[in-house]
Amino acid sequence: MDNVVSIQSRALAECSEKLDRIRAISEAILDAAEEGDWELALARQRFRSTELTAFYAQGDDLPQEVAEMIAAGIREILAVDAKVTDLACKGKTSLQEEAALKQRNSLAAQAYLNQSS
């Protein structure tokens, strides 16, 4: 029985470490997004995707305690991803507004120049 407990404890510890790494990558994605460095955010997201694929390749026969920890980790990752998505939407809107303002200014300048001639 001690061997079973030891194996489960080890599986739980390994899963916890992997989830901690994936959560850290998710936070790094958020940090890059908050800085407006979308190329870095994308690179980190791709790396996290590879890590997640390897993580979920473990199989379906996980102890309940490990499955619950994974579910909690997924909820945390999704919460961080929601923040990144919100930042991306706000950034896109800001860029669109900036582009529209530049276009209006350009049209106004062109109209002024046409009137001055």
Side-chain angles (χ1 to χ4, degrees):
M1 189 63 161
D2 287 341
N3 276 346
V4 171
V5 171
S6 175
I7 291 170
Q8 285 179 335
S9 295
R10 192 168 51 243
L12 192 60
E14 288 174 10
C15 180
S16 180
E17 288 174 18
K18 290 176 184 177
L19 276 172
D20 286 345
R21 276 198 313 270
I22 292 169
R23 279 192 288 262
I25 296 167
S26 296
E27 289 295 331
I29 293 168
L30 179 58
D31 291 344
E34 288 174 338
E35 293 294 319
D37 191 342
W38 292 101
E39 288 182 33
L40 181 59
L42 179 60
R44 288 176 174 169
Q45 190 280 332
R46 287 179 176 152
F47 177 70
R48 185 186 67 178
S49 180
T50 302
E51 292 291 306
L52 283 168
T53 299
F55 180 74
Y56 289 113
Q58 297 179 59
D60 296 330
D61 55 343
L62 297 172
Q64 181 65 27
E65 190 175 5
V66 173
E68 289 172 5
M69 184 186 347
I70 291 171
I74 290 170
R75 284 190 293 274
E76 290 176 29
I77 291 166
L78 290 173
V80 171
D81 283 356
K83 291 176 185 177
V84 173
T85 300
D86 186 51
L87 287 170
C89 289
K90 287 178 182 174
K92 179 181 175 186
T93 299
S94 176
L95 288 173
Q96 288 172 330
E97 290 170 356
E98 190 177 308
L101 178 60
K102 286 182 180 181
Q103 184 176 13
R104 283 192 304 272
N105 287 341
S106 176
L107 291 173
Q110 186 61 43
Y112 178 82
L113 291 174
N114 288 341
Q115 289 295 321
S116 297
S117 303

